[in-house]
mmCIF file of all heavy atoms in Angstrom:
data_model
loop_
_atom_site.group_PDB
_atom_site.id
_atom_site.type_symbol
_atom_site.label_atom_id
_atom_site.label_comp_id
_atom_site.label_asym_id
_atom_site.label_seq_id
_atom_site.Cartn_x
_atom_site.Cartn_y
_atom_site.Cartn_z
ATOM 1 N N ASP A 307 -27.157 24.361 -22.538
ATOM 2 C CA ASP A 307 -28.078 23.337 -22.170
ATOM 3 C C ASP A 307 -27.631 22.678 -20.861
ATOM 4 O O ASP A 307 -28.448 22.501 -20.011
ATOM 5 C CB ASP A 307 -28.165 22.413 -23.392
ATOM 6 C CG ASP A 307 -28.924 22.885 -24.513
ATOM 7 O OD1 ASP A 307 -29.655 23.888 -24.371
ATOM 8 O OD2 ASP A 307 -28.725 22.274 -25.592
ATOM 9 N N SER A 308 -26.269 22.369 -20.824
ATOM 10 C CA SER A 308 -25.853 21.710 -19.607
ATOM 11 C C SER A 308 -25.907 22.554 -18.371
ATOM 12 O O SER A 308 -26.185 21.998 -17.281
ATOM 13 C CB SER A 308 -24.414 21.125 -19.874
ATOM 14 O OG SER A 308 -23.501 22.292 -19.886
ATOM 15 N N ILE A 309 -25.875 23.848 -18.469
ATOM 16 C CA ILE A 309 -25.880 24.617 -17.397
ATOM 17 C C ILE A 309 -27.455 24.864 -17.012
ATOM 18 O O ILE A 309 -27.747 25.034 -15.732
ATOM 19 C CB ILE A 309 -25.306 26.105 -17.624
ATOM 20 C CG1 ILE A 309 -23.743 25.777 -17.635
ATOM 21 C CG2 ILE A 309 -25.562 27.041 -16.269
ATOM 22 C CD1 ILE A 309 -22.913 26.930 -17.940
ATOM 23 N N GLY A 310 -28.336 24.735 -17.925
ATOM 24 C CA GLY A 310 -29.688 24.753 -17.610
ATOM 25 C C GLY A 310 -30.295 26.125 -17.360
ATOM 26 O O GLY A 310 -31.365 26.250 -16.787
ATOM 27 N N ILE A 311 -29.773 27.109 -17.877
ATOM 28 C CA ILE A 311 -30.416 28.440 -17.952
ATOM 29 C C ILE A 311 -30.401 28.935 -19.449
ATOM 30 O O ILE A 311 -29.622 28.618 -20.131
ATOM 31 C CB ILE A 311 -29.744 29.490 -16.930
ATOM 32 C CG1 ILE A 311 -28.265 29.729 -17.360
ATOM 33 C CG2 ILE A 311 -29.832 29.048 -15.553
ATOM 34 C CD1 ILE A 311 -27.587 30.921 -16.598
ATOM 35 N N PRO A 312 -31.403 29.898 -19.669
ATOM 36 C CA PRO A 312 -31.445 30.440 -21.085
ATOM 37 C C PRO A 312 -30.181 31.018 -21.583
ATOM 38 O O PRO A 312 -29.499 31.795 -20.812
ATOM 39 C CB PRO A 312 -32.644 31.432 -21.084
ATOM 40 C CG PRO A 312 -33.398 31.036 -19.829
ATOM 41 C CD PRO A 312 -32.448 30.582 -18.760
ATOM 42 N N LEU A 313 -29.846 30.784 -22.789
ATOM 43 C CA LEU A 313 -28.653 31.279 -23.414
ATOM 44 C C LEU A 313 -29.126 32.654 -23.915
ATOM 45 O O LEU A 313 -30.024 32.858 -24.806
ATOM 46 C CB LEU A 313 -28.178 30.473 -24.687
ATOM 47 C CG LEU A 313 -26.938 30.864 -25.378
ATOM 48 C CD1 LEU A 313 -25.788 30.947 -24.497
ATOM 49 C CD2 LEU A 313 -26.697 29.974 -26.530
ATOM 50 N N LEU A 314 -28.452 33.724 -23.534
ATOM 51 C CA LEU A 314 -28.543 35.089 -24.091
ATOM 52 C C LEU A 314 -27.848 35.210 -25.449
ATOM 53 O O LEU A 314 -28.421 35.838 -26.382
ATOM 54 C CB LEU A 314 -28.155 36.046 -23.007
ATOM 55 C CG LEU A 314 -28.360 37.578 -23.313
ATOM 56 C CD1 LEU A 314 -29.887 37.877 -23.530
ATOM 57 C CD2 LEU A 314 -27.835 38.428 -22.210
ATOM 58 N N ALA A 315 -26.540 34.907 -25.329
ATOM 59 C CA ALA A 315 -25.779 35.137 -26.584
ATOM 60 C C ALA A 315 -24.391 34.245 -26.336
ATOM 61 O O ALA A 315 -24.033 33.910 -25.274
ATOM 62 C CB ALA A 315 -25.384 36.526 -26.768
ATOM 63 N N THR A 316 -23.899 33.986 -27.728
ATOM 64 C CA THR A 316 -22.476 33.490 -27.500
ATOM 65 C C THR A 316 -21.559 34.485 -28.114
ATOM 66 O O THR A 316 -22.138 35.378 -28.814
ATOM 67 C CB THR A 316 -22.316 32.130 -28.290
ATOM 68 O OG1 THR A 316 -22.714 32.470 -29.679
ATOM 69 C CG2 THR A 316 -23.172 31.038 -27.835
ATOM 70 N N MET A 317 -20.194 34.467 -27.765
ATOM 71 C CA MET A 317 -19.477 35.552 -28.180
ATOM 72 C C MET A 317 -18.096 35.067 -28.505
ATOM 73 O O MET A 317 -17.499 34.330 -27.822
ATOM 74 C CB MET A 317 -19.369 36.477 -26.923
ATOM 75 C CG MET A 317 -18.753 37.820 -27.157
ATOM 76 S SD MET A 317 -19.153 38.876 -25.776
ATOM 77 C CE MET A 317 -18.262 38.096 -24.390
ATOM 78 N N ARG A 318 -17.621 35.411 -29.676
ATOM 79 C CA ARG A 318 -16.252 35.032 -30.189
ATOM 80 C C ARG A 318 -15.267 36.143 -29.388
ATOM 81 O O ARG A 318 -15.884 37.160 -28.807
ATOM 82 C CB ARG A 318 -16.052 35.270 -31.714
ATOM 83 C CG ARG A 318 -16.768 34.105 -32.450
ATOM 84 C CD ARG A 318 -16.610 34.279 -34.009
ATOM 85 N NE ARG A 318 -17.351 35.594 -34.381
ATOM 86 C CZ ARG A 318 -16.852 36.762 -34.734
ATOM 87 N NH1 ARG A 318 -15.490 36.937 -34.690
ATOM 88 N NH2 ARG A 318 -17.606 37.773 -35.115
ATOM 89 N N PRO A 319 -14.066 35.902 -29.276
ATOM 90 C CA PRO A 319 -13.205 36.789 -28.680
ATOM 91 C C PRO A 319 -13.211 38.105 -29.426
ATOM 92 O O PRO A 319 -13.164 38.087 -30.664
ATOM 93 C CB PRO A 319 -11.725 36.116 -28.701
ATOM 94 C CG PRO A 319 -11.935 34.704 -29.122
ATOM 95 C CD PRO A 319 -13.223 34.683 -29.797
ATOM 96 N N GLU A 320 -13.242 39.186 -28.600
ATOM 97 C CA GLU A 320 -13.093 40.622 -29.209
ATOM 98 C C GLU A 320 -11.705 40.727 -29.674
ATOM 99 O O GLU A 320 -10.725 40.702 -28.818
ATOM 100 C CB GLU A 320 -13.519 41.578 -28.313
ATOM 101 C CG GLU A 320 -13.476 42.957 -28.560
ATOM 102 C CD GLU A 320 -14.716 43.549 -29.290
ATOM 103 O OE1 GLU A 320 -15.625 42.634 -29.478
ATOM 104 O OE2 GLU A 320 -14.860 44.624 -29.718
ATOM 105 N N PRO A 321 -11.327 41.013 -30.953
ATOM 106 C CA PRO A 321 -9.900 41.278 -31.281
ATOM 107 C C PRO A 321 -9.290 42.471 -30.575
ATOM 108 O O PRO A 321 -9.945 43.531 -30.392
ATOM 109 C CB PRO A 321 -9.894 41.609 -32.837
ATOM 110 C CG PRO A 321 -11.478 41.162 -33.213
ATOM 111 C CD PRO A 321 -12.301 41.140 -32.044
ATOM 112 N N HIS A 322 -8.046 42.331 -30.190
ATOM 113 C CA HIS A 322 -7.268 43.400 -29.564
ATOM 114 C C HIS A 322 -7.800 44.023 -28.241
ATOM 115 O O HIS A 322 -7.427 45.178 -28.051
ATOM 116 C CB HIS A 322 -7.096 44.436 -30.704
ATOM 117 C CG HIS A 322 -6.638 43.982 -32.032
ATOM 118 N ND1 HIS A 322 -5.386 43.330 -32.256
ATOM 119 C CD2 HIS A 322 -7.361 44.026 -33.239
ATOM 120 C CE1 HIS A 322 -5.408 42.981 -33.454
ATOM 121 N NE2 HIS A 322 -6.368 43.449 -34.169
ATOM 122 N N VAL A 323 -8.723 43.246 -27.606
ATOM 123 C CA VAL A 323 -9.220 43.892 -26.386
ATOM 124 C C VAL A 323 -8.152 44.201 -25.396
ATOM 125 O O VAL A 323 -8.106 45.143 -24.705
ATOM 126 C CB VAL A 323 -10.451 43.036 -25.936
ATOM 127 C CG1 VAL A 323 -10.105 41.746 -25.308
ATOM 128 C CG2 VAL A 323 -11.301 43.907 -24.965
ATOM 129 N N ALA A 324 -7.259 43.163 -25.161
ATOM 130 C CA ALA A 324 -6.157 43.260 -24.179
ATOM 131 C C ALA A 324 -5.397 44.434 -24.324
ATOM 132 O O ALA A 324 -5.143 45.305 -23.442
ATOM 133 C CB ALA A 324 -5.389 42.050 -23.994
ATOM 134 N N GLU A 325 -5.074 44.747 -25.771
ATOM 135 C CA GLU A 325 -4.138 45.802 -26.043
ATOM 136 C C GLU A 325 -4.899 47.243 -25.781
ATOM 137 O O GLU A 325 -4.341 48.125 -25.163
ATOM 138 C CB GLU A 325 -3.766 45.884 -27.430
ATOM 139 C CG GLU A 325 -2.894 44.679 -27.865
ATOM 140 C CD GLU A 325 -3.675 43.599 -28.385
ATOM 141 O OE1 GLU A 325 -4.680 43.099 -27.627
ATOM 142 O OE2 GLU A 325 -3.424 42.989 -29.406
ATOM 143 N N SER A 326 -6.160 47.252 -26.152
ATOM 144 C CA SER A 326 -6.971 48.426 -26.012
ATOM 145 C C SER A 326 -7.184 48.781 -24.561
ATOM 146 O O SER A 326 -7.133 49.884 -24.123
ATOM 147 C CB SER A 326 -8.179 48.595 -26.788
ATOM 148 O OG SER A 326 -9.087 47.589 -26.382
ATOM 149 N N LEU A 327 -7.307 47.623 -23.724
ATOM 150 C CA LEU A 327 -7.520 47.914 -22.389
ATOM 151 C C LEU A 327 -6.157 48.436 -21.715
ATOM 152 O O LEU A 327 -6.201 49.446 -20.832
ATOM 153 C CB LEU A 327 -7.788 46.601 -21.493
ATOM 154 C CG LEU A 327 -9.280 46.190 -21.745
ATOM 155 C CD1 LEU A 327 -9.410 44.730 -21.313
ATOM 156 C CD2 LEU A 327 -10.236 46.963 -21.082
ATOM 157 N N GLU A 328 -5.091 47.928 -22.175
ATOM 158 C CA GLU A 328 -3.732 48.491 -21.600
ATOM 159 C C GLU A 328 -3.536 49.913 -22.086
ATOM 160 O O GLU A 328 -3.063 50.753 -21.263
ATOM 161 C CB GLU A 328 -2.590 47.674 -22.308
ATOM 162 C CG GLU A 328 -2.498 46.268 -21.793
ATOM 163 C CD GLU A 328 -1.997 46.138 -20.354
ATOM 164 O OE1 GLU A 328 -1.009 46.814 -20.146
ATOM 165 O OE2 GLU A 328 -2.486 45.247 -19.595
ATOM 166 N N ARG A 329 -3.954 50.218 -23.252
ATOM 167 C CA ARG A 329 -3.780 51.638 -23.787
ATOM 168 C C ARG A 329 -4.689 52.603 -23.119
ATOM 169 O O ARG A 329 -4.688 53.787 -23.127
ATOM 170 C CB ARG A 329 -3.981 51.731 -25.348
ATOM 171 C CG ARG A 329 -2.754 51.203 -26.015
ATOM 172 C CD ARG A 329 -2.936 51.664 -27.594
ATOM 173 N NE ARG A 329 -4.170 51.413 -28.111
ATOM 174 C CZ ARG A 329 -4.437 50.200 -28.767
ATOM 175 N NH1 ARG A 329 -3.600 49.356 -29.013
ATOM 176 N NH2 ARG A 329 -5.704 50.096 -29.256
ATOM 177 N N GLY A 330 -5.828 52.038 -22.575
ATOM 178 C CA GLY A 330 -6.762 53.015 -21.967
ATOM 179 C C GLY A 330 -7.903 53.481 -22.896
ATOM 180 O O GLY A 330 -8.477 54.518 -22.668
ATOM 181 N N ASP A 331 -8.034 52.682 -24.123
ATOM 182 C CA ASP A 331 -8.958 53.412 -25.022
ATOM 183 C C ASP A 331 -9.827 52.320 -25.576
ATOM 184 O O ASP A 331 -10.175 52.123 -26.745
ATOM 185 C CB ASP A 331 -8.198 53.978 -26.343
ATOM 186 C CG ASP A 331 -7.317 52.979 -27.107
ATOM 187 O OD1 ASP A 331 -7.366 51.773 -26.731
ATOM 188 O OD2 ASP A 331 -6.776 53.463 -28.149
ATOM 189 N N PHE A 332 -10.283 51.533 -24.497
ATOM 190 C CA PHE A 332 -11.261 50.361 -24.899
ATOM 191 C C PHE A 332 -12.582 50.946 -25.403
ATOM 192 O O PHE A 332 -13.242 51.724 -24.768
ATOM 193 C CB PHE A 332 -11.479 49.501 -23.625
ATOM 194 C CG PHE A 332 -12.552 48.584 -23.732
ATOM 195 C CD1 PHE A 332 -12.733 47.492 -24.666
ATOM 196 C CD2 PHE A 332 -13.780 48.864 -23.019
ATOM 197 C CE1 PHE A 332 -13.747 46.695 -24.900
ATOM 198 C CE2 PHE A 332 -14.891 47.914 -23.086
ATOM 199 C CZ PHE A 332 -14.803 46.885 -24.028
#
Side-chain angles (χ1 to χ4, degrees):
D307 287 346
S308 67
I309 293 175
I311 59 172
L313 179 66
L314 181 62
T316 60
M317 191 167 63
R318 287 175 292 108
E320 179 90 357
H322 311 300
V323 70
E325 298 91 307
S326 66
L327 286 167
E328 291 287 318
R329 285 194 309 266
D331 64 359
F332 165 67

